[in-house]
Amino acid sequence: MPDFYLAQRLKKLCETPCTLLWLEGSKHERVLSVRLQESKLILNLSDQTSRVVVFERYSVTAVGLQFWSQGRPGVLFRWEQVPREVWDSRKSTALKMPHVPNPDEPPPTAA
């Protein structure tokens, strides 16, 4: 059974309107959802992948939760500068925008 305190802190972190990042070394990935199973943290990432982190211990930090897996730290980070809605709306807007040609440029077939 997962640690009750950890489950509560994780729930509180996930309910914030901030963007969540998983930081490990010099890499970072945006987290869409988190699930806790015993000593496993299951992260659904923005690149349509899942990551399973089996951790031995954790600590609560001012900006999130830090986990140690095989002696290496990883941080579930609350990025307050970018609200979750703003990031999601930018991404969805960028995906939905059609290509609008520049009227000053000739069409690609013109030479």
Side-chain angles (χ1 to χ4, degrees):
M1 182 167 169
D3 182 336
F4 179 74
Y5 179 70
L6 174 58
Q8 289 296 93
R9 296 297 293 192
L10 193 57
K11 181 179 178 186
K12 185 176 179 181
L13 183 64
C14 290
E15 289 175 346
T16 65
C18 305
T19 295
L20 295 178
L21 298 177
W22 175 253
L23 307 173
E24 192 169 23
S26 63
K27 294 188 283 185
H28 70 279
E29 300 172 274
R30 190 166 65 100
V31 177
L32 301 177
S33 66
V34 180
R35 195 170 71 225
L36 180 64
Q37 288 182 340
E38 299 181 16
S39 62
K40 294 178 190 172
L41 194 63
I42 302 167
L43 307 169
N44 289 328
L45 305 173
S46 63
D47 61 356
Q48 306 300 319
T49 61
S50 293
R51 171 114 189 226
V52 178
V53 178
V54 180
F55 61 92
E56 295 92 30
R57 60 189 175 105
Y58 71 93
S59 68
V60 177
T61 68
V63 294
L65 293 165
Q66 185 167 10
F67 298 89
W68 281 269
S69 176
Q70 298 176 351
R72 302 176 86 184
V75 179
L76 187 58
F77 178 80
R78 180 182 68 232
W79 193 16
E80 294 178 352
Q81 291 82 0
V82 180
R84 188 174 298 151
E85 295 82 22
V86 172
W87 184 297
D88 291 341
S89 67
R90 280 188 204 160
K91 183 177 178 184
S92 62
T93 301
L95 292 174
K96 291 180 183 176
M97 287 181 63
H99 175 69
V100 179
N102 184 349
D104 297 332
E105 290 181 13
T109 55

